[in-house]
């Protein structure tokens, strides 16, 4: 069995579950063999030893049951780097880079800004911001100790300096004073009855849904963020494709001004920001 044949066979098995069966199969085989994808492509006609084939098939079986590729390889690329992930954290999504881009734009004129990332998970937003802005003071808050362990390891690996705080972000927002220039969050925003949740069943439920209408975490953050933002500070949140107007209304009602929404690369309204006057 050559690598090419093993991949072709795997693609057939992944067709029903994945939007990108070829990429998944290539990614998993490259990971298993310790190759880059470029190295994999130059060796497609090489024979795959039986032991490797068995291990590859086992990975494909798990993927075919819906487990994300990132959990099978233990890593995921985000922004300019790669982080370790496991089932304690949401797999970072490319659309979340929109939040990073927007945050960096806003931070540009500020010297040594203070930033907080609520529900930081694997830490990718906090890590991207601190790597791009080493002068920033970045805090990553998460309720899950297991998620923070992942975030801490990622920070150590990337030699990034972030203050990790294990707390409910609702409670964290009530602590101390209005000293932040920016609060960012990619909170759980999927409604509990959303059928899409089933496809995400391998990821932590607390990172995906509030158990209600998908707006509870956003309501909590928007209602209390002003307590931790200086006057002129900004709040930026990621949300579902159909939540932009609800989030805008919540921000306006909470006293935020300059409330604006931006679209992700898929053309969906994905992040909304407001200014604390
Ligand atoms: N963007 C994720 C998804 O729909 C959800 C992330 C979240 O709830 N914060 O797959």
């Amino acid at each position: 069995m050559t690598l090419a044949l093993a991949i072709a066979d795997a693609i057939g098995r992944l067709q029903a579950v994945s939007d990108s069966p070829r990429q998944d199969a290539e990614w998993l085989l490259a990971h298993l063999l310790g190759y880059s994808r470029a190295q994999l492509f130059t060796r497609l006609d090489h024979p795959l030893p039986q032991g490797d084939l068995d291990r590859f098939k086992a990975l494909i079986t798990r993927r075919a049951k819906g487990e994300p590729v990132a959990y099978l390889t233990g890593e995921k690329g985000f922004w300019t780097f790669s982080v370790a992930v496991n089932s304690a954290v949401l797999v970072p999504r490319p659309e979340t880079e929109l939040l990073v881009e927007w945050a960096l734009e806003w931070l540009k004129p500020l010297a040594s800004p203070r930033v907080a990332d609520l529900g930081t998970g694997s830490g990718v937003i906090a890590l991207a911001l601190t790597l791009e802005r080493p002068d920033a003071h970045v805090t990553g808050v998460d309720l899950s100790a297991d998620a923070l362990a992942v975030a801490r390891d990622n920070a150590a690996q990337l030699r990034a300096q972030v203050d990790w705080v294990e707390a409910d972000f609702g409670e964290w927002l009530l602590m101390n004073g209005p000293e932040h220039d920016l609060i960012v969050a990619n909170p759980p925003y999927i409604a509990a009855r959303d059928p899409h949740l089933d496809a995400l069943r391998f990821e932590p439920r607390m990172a995906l849904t509030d158990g209600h209408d998908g707006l509870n975490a956003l309501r909590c953050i928007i209602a209390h963020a002003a307590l931790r933002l200086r006057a002129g500070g900004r709040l930026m949140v990621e949300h579902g494709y159909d939540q932009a107007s609800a989030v805008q209304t919540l921000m306006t009602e909470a006293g935020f001004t300059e409330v604006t929404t931006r679209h992700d690369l898929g053309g969906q309204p994905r992040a909304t920001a407001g200014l604390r006057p």
Side-chain angles (χ1 to χ4, degrees), residues 43-44 83 87 94 121 128 135 142 160 173 198 207 215 221 239 271:
R43 293 166 169 81
L44 287 174
V83 286
S87 57
D135 65 322
D142 208 285
L173 286 167
D198 183 54
L215 283 166
I221 291 168
H239 51 70

Side-chain angles (χ1 to χ4, degrees), residues 48-253:
L48 186 60
Q50 188 62 44
D52 288 335
L53 178 61
D54 291 344
R55 270 177 286 158
F56 181 52
K57 284 186 167 166
L59 285 175
I60 295 299
T61 299
R62 286 171 66 185
R63 178 70 192 114
K65 289 181 182 152
E67 207 168 333
V69 174
Y71 289 163
L72 298 174
T73 62
E75 62 181 343
K76 178 73 185 179
F78 183 83
W79 199 246
T80 59
F81 50 87
S82 178
V83 286
V85 292
N86 62 33
S87 57
V89 298
L90 188 81
V91 176
R93 308 289 202 267
E95 55 266 34
T96 301
E97 293 177 2
L98 168 65
L99 214 56
V100 172
E101 228 170 76
W102 201 0
L104 289 171
E105 243 174 71
W106 157 244
L107 293 175
K108 198 154 201 171
L110 306 178
S112 310
R114 294 183 71 94
V115 182
D117 173 23
L118 308 185
T120 193
S122 62
V124 284
I125 300 174
L127 291 167
L129 295 178
T130 193
L131 288 170
E132 295 291 336
R133 287 293 305 266
D135 65 322
H137 182 276
V138 182
T139 302
V141 182
D142 208 285
L143 183 56
S144 160
D146 292 340
L148 282 181
V150 174
R152 278 200 181 93
D153 285 349
N154 285 328
Q157 204 63 43
L158 294 164
R159 297 171 195 283
Q161 178 55 48
V162 174
D163 277 345
W164 304 108
V165 178
E166 186 183 329
D168 177 285
F169 53 60
E171 283 166 27
W172 182 87
L173 286 167
L174 302 179
M175 292 182 222
N176 304 319
E179 69 280 31
H180 292 81
D181 297 283
L182 174 67
I183 293 177
V184 290
N186 173 18
Y189 55 69
I190 302 179
R193 57 169 167 67
D194 190 326
H196 177 61
L197 264 185
D198 183 54
L200 308 176
R201 65 192 176 281
F202 284 89
E203 295 181 85
R205 203 175 151 81
M206 69 179 276
L208 292 164
T209 180
D210 53 19
H212 297 276
D213 63 351
L215 283 166
N216 266 3
L218 287 159
R219 278 188 198 100
C220 166
I221 291 168
I222 294 167
H224 303 301
L227 296 170
R228 301 299 306 263
L229 282 172
R230 66 164 170 85
R234 264 183 206 274
L235 171 64
M236 282 179 192
V237 296
E238 181 173 319
H239 51 70
Y241 70 95
D242 55 353
Q243 293 171 327
S245 76
V247 169
Q248 289 180 2
T249 304
L250 288 166
M251 281 197 188
T252 307
E253 282 172 1

